[in-house]
Amino acid sequence: MSRSLVLLLLALPLVASFNLPSLTGLNPASAVSGVSRVCYGPSMQLASPQIAKPKVDVGQQLGTTSPQAEGPKTATPKIQPKKKTQDDETPMYKVILLGDNDYEQSHVVTQITKIIPSVQKEEAIRIFVEAQMTGSSVIIVCTEEHAEHYVQQLKRQQIYAKMEEDKK
């Protein structure tokens, strides 16, 4: 029995280094009697998990030697992709006044300025003269819905216009 007591006393520090909860509270006297008691009191220490340390410094890249060996760092601007807006994706349309010899200048100029509020009187006169000389003239470039609306409103006044997609 003394042999097992000696072995137990020698093995106890080794077992305690493993922090096994069932063996750390082992009493040598109880081991002799064959009954083991586990003591869950303040004397028992449980091992907490350790976080592994990285082998490489967090800011250092693999394969580089040391920070002193690197040259001076220059700031390189990061290129960000251009954000698409709704205007980039919306197709634009041209409203084109068609020239006709039956038009009266005052009627056409008045109706263009009434129907299309962004067109001033001087610009409407220039558009009318260009349409009469060349056969057509661009009044405005706008979204499809606005272009359809302007063409319909001009047609109600017997002013002929068409719309076509603006190729950029």
Side-chain angles (χ1 to χ4, degrees):
M1 224 198 254
S2 66
R3 266 177 142 183
S4 59
L5 182 61
V6 172
L7 287 175
L8 182 62
L9 290 175
L10 291 174
L12 192 57
L14 180 65
V15 171
S17 68
F18 288 111
N19 288 331
L20 298 173
S22 61
L23 298 177
T24 55
L26 207 71
N27 188 356
S30 66
V32 173
S33 65
V35 178
S36 66
R37 289 186 337 178
V38 177
C39 193
Y40 291 105
S43 65
M44 183 175 170
Q45 296 177 354
L46 295 176
S48 62
Q50 296 286 332
I51 297 175
K53 293 182 181 178
K55 293 181 181 179
V56 178
D57 290 338
V58 175
Q60 185 180 358
Q61 294 180 354
L62 293 174
T64 60
T65 55
S66 65
Q68 291 82 12
E70 296 178 13
K73 293 186 177 181
T74 58
T76 56
K78 292 184 180 179
I79 299 173
Q80 295 179 351
K82 183 179 176 184
K83 294 180 181 177
K84 289 187 176 183
T85 61
Q86 187 175 2
D87 294 339
D88 294 339
E89 298 174 4
T90 305
M92 301 300 279
Y93 286 81
K94 296 186 274 188
V95 177
I96 302 172
L97 176 67
L98 302 175
D100 190 354
N101 292 335
D102 296 337
Y103 289 155
E104 289 185 23
Q105 181 176 353
S106 60
H107 173 69
V108 172
V109 170
T110 305
Q111 293 306 317
I112 287 176
T113 54
K114 272 187 183 178
I115 294 169
I116 306 171
S118 62
V119 177
Q120 302 298 320
K121 185 175 181 179
E122 296 79 23
E123 190 178 356
I125 293 170
R126 184 196 56 78
I127 291 168
F128 174 78
V129 170
E130 184 182 339
Q132 292 300 86
M133 292 175 67
T134 62
S136 66
S137 178
V138 176
I139 302 172
I140 191 171
V141 178
C142 55
T143 61
E144 184 178 14
E145 292 81 15
H146 285 108
E148 286 176 352
H149 173 73
Y150 294 149
V151 168
Q152 288 175 354
Q153 294 301 314
L154 289 169
K155 200 174 278 188
R156 284 185 177 182
Q157 301 300 322
Q158 281 76 39
I159 300 171
Y160 299 104
K162 67 177 183 177
M163 62 179 257
E164 59 184 48
E165 190 170 358
D166 185 28
K167 311 257 194 256
K168 293 182 180 180

